[in-house]
Amino acid sequence: MSEPVSRARRALNETPADLLLRGIADVVAESYQITHTELFQVDYRLAELLPLTEGAAITGPGHPAWRCFDHQMPVVADGTGWFPVSMRGERRGVLALAPVPDDPTVVAELAEIATALAHEVAAVSPGTDVYRAARRSQRLTLAAEMQWDLLPGRSRVRPSFSLAGQLEPAYTVRGDSFDWSDDGDRLWLSTINGTGEGVAASMLTSLATHALRNARRAGLSLADQAALADQAVYDLHRGEQHISALLIELELRTGAVTVVDAGSPRLVRLREGEVVEQPLEAQFPLGMFEATDYHEQRFTLERGDRLFVVSDGVVEATGQDVRYGETALDRFLRRTGPMEPLDAVRSLIGDLRAFVAGDLVDDAVVVCLDWTGPQP
């Protein structure tokens, strides 16, 4: 590790949480004579790169900042360097620095500093609103604020899988959500198709999500996780409210998948360009009846398989009195084969927005999972 990178890491550790960018700016100014430093964070809709301190939002897809964000590689254009601010596959935005020489060694060191910034932003965000507040181009509804704080992130990359998800309409989402966790051997993924309106919908989703997490962290099987969450929702609402969920457990070494379908969103597999809906045993939504007995299903992925989980808000999106539908969805999913999961999710959401000529009215959740096979 070079001395400037080491100094930048020390500065990030020692700088107050709200002044991380200033700490970076001081180091790069002294080490590389860089006079302009700005952090652009991607907004909740994945549609704008918003500055932390000053400047205009970046929206044009051909802009060097978006090329950096999309391809996750440094881009130097007209003396300005754009560097991915990402950690463990979670893309937070880009770091803009100028002037940057066209020197591969300097560019590589600045890219390391941008990655260190991503880790530090993730570490301090629970204790400051500076970075969350700067990520929004409009006010979040209270329900949406609760939903976004519930998420584990928006994308994740490990040697054996890549994963991404998105909620829509981003600034007013109510009940749809997703959650994931992995321990190096297994990946757990849950997707919730929420019901209700406003804060009531987000509270129901929060209850189900925390019940599922509690059961998962206790080491319970997937069926027992569903049963515990089902009982938690039933105990509070006595069957008057319930919620649909899809629970997935993936063995990362073998590709073996265990699924519990509790009235779930749609599960689709993309293999070698062909889209096939995975048949699932439909079971009762969580909280509909007392002490529901859930059953697990199993199937196996092949190396390179891609799974999409989409809620009914995707298929039922309506534009000019025409539903988006399964046919349009399958056709679009085929086109996502070469894309990274986050890009595939973002492209599908963009296609939906274009179809309805604006933001979606009903909640929609899209999750994309690639299994890349067993890794050493």
Side-chain angles (χ1 to χ4, degrees):
M1 183 184 299
S2 69
E3 177 58 26
V5 174
S6 297
R7 290 180 56 237
R9 289 181 179 273
R10 288 197 298 271
L12 287 170
N13 289 332
E14 297 168 0
T15 302
D18 59 314
L19 299 176
L20 296 180
L21 193 62
R22 183 184 298 179
I24 288 287
D26 291 342
V27 172
V28 297
E30 182 178 344
S31 301
Y32 306 104
Q33 291 71 57
I34 287 171
T35 58
H36 173 73
T37 305
E38 182 58 272
L39 170 62
F40 287 85
Q41 297 181 101
V42 69
D43 85 314
Y44 287 87
R45 296 176 77 240
L46 292 170
E48 300 179 70
L49 289 167
L50 302 174
L52 179 64
T53 60
E54 60 183 15
I58 301 173
T59 58
H63 194 283
W66 278 113
R67 296 207 309 271
C68 169
F69 183 85
D70 291 338
H71 300 292
Q72 288 296 284
M73 59 184 297
V75 174
V76 179
D78 300 325
T80 299
W82 305 90
F83 301 90
V85 179
S86 305
M87 40 84 69
R88 301 184 185 277
E90 176 71 13
R91 303 187 202 176
R92 294 186 170 271
V94 297
L95 179 65
L97 303 171
V100 171
D102 193 9
D103 181 331
T105 300
V106 171
V107 170
E109 290 175 354
L110 294 174
E112 284 190 64
I113 292 173
T115 299
L117 175 61
H119 281 271
E120 198 63 26
V121 169
V124 303
S125 286
T128 178
D129 290 333
V130 168
Y131 304 99
R132 282 193 179 97
R135 284 177 51 208
R136 54 195 72 185
S137 60
Q138 57 185 280
R139 183 174 178 177
L140 290 171
T141 63
L142 176 55
E145 189 87 52
M146 295 169 67
Q147 290 301 84
W148 283 105
D149 279 354
L150 192 64
L151 299 184
R154 203 151 38 181
S155 55
R156 181 154 172 77
V157 177
R158 291 292 301 270
S160 52
F161 72 89
S162 296
L163 180 63
Q166 175 66 6
L167 306 179
E168 285 292 322
Y171 288 91
T172 58
V173 66
R174 299 171 290 272
D176 283 14
S177 188
F178 56 83
D179 190 32
W180 60 59
S181 177
D182 78 275
D183 65 1
D185 295 318
R186 291 172 294 176
L187 167 69
W188 293 270
L189 168 65
S190 62
T191 308
I192 289 178
N193 189 4
T195 58
E197 297 293 332
V199 173
S202 64
M203 290 177 66
L204 181 61
T205 297
S206 179
L207 172 62
T209 299
H210 282 99
L212 290 170
R213 287 175 178 172
N214 178 256
R216 183 185 74 219
R217 292 164 183 170
L220 301 185
S221 68
L222 211 62
D224 289 340
Q225 291 176 33
L228 187 147
D230 169 72
Q231 195 62 46
V233 175
Y234 184 85
D235 286 348
L236 186 63
H237 297 290
R238 312 308 295 178
E240 294 183 2
Q241 294 188 48
H242 45 79
I243 193 165
S244 299
L246 178 67
L247 312 184
I248 297 174
E249 181 181 311
L250 169 63
E251 292 185 12
L252 297 175
R253 289 187 175 88
T254 65
V257 179
T258 304
V259 177
V260 171
D261 174 3
S264 73
R266 190 172 185 233
L267 179 62
V268 178
R269 187 194 70 219
L270 179 63
R271 176 181 294 169
E272 297 181 351
E274 293 299 318
V275 176
V276 177
E277 182 165 4
Q278 183 67 39
L280 298 175
E281 178 189 353
Q283 301 176 70
F284 292 125
L286 305 177
M288 180 173 281
F289 301 106
E290 186 174 15
T292 302
D293 186 19
Y294 289 94
H295 306 284
E296 299 175 350
Q297 285 181 256
R298 292 176 175 80
F299 61 92
T300 303
L301 295 179
E302 295 181 4
R303 186 190 298 267
D305 277 357
R306 167 169 287 180
L307 293 178
F308 278 98
V309 186
V310 296
S311 66
D312 55 11
V314 174
V315 177
E316 296 175 5
T318 303
Q320 298 182 344
D321 297 325
V322 178
R323 289 174 68 250
Y324 191 73
E326 289 85 355
T327 301
L329 176 63
D330 291 355
R331 182 169 60 247
F332 192 87
L333 294 184
R334 289 190 189 94
R335 295 164 49 188
T336 69
M339 302 178 187
E340 294 295 322
L342 183 62
D343 300 322
V345 167
R346 194 164 122 228
S347 296
L348 176 55
I349 294 296
D351 194 59
L352 285 169
R353 291 195 196 113
F355 180 78
V356 303
D359 284 334
L360 276 65
V361 175
D362 295 328
D363 281 6
V365 59
V366 179
V367 176
C368 178
L369 167 63
D370 286 354
W371 182 61
T372 51
Q375 303 292 326

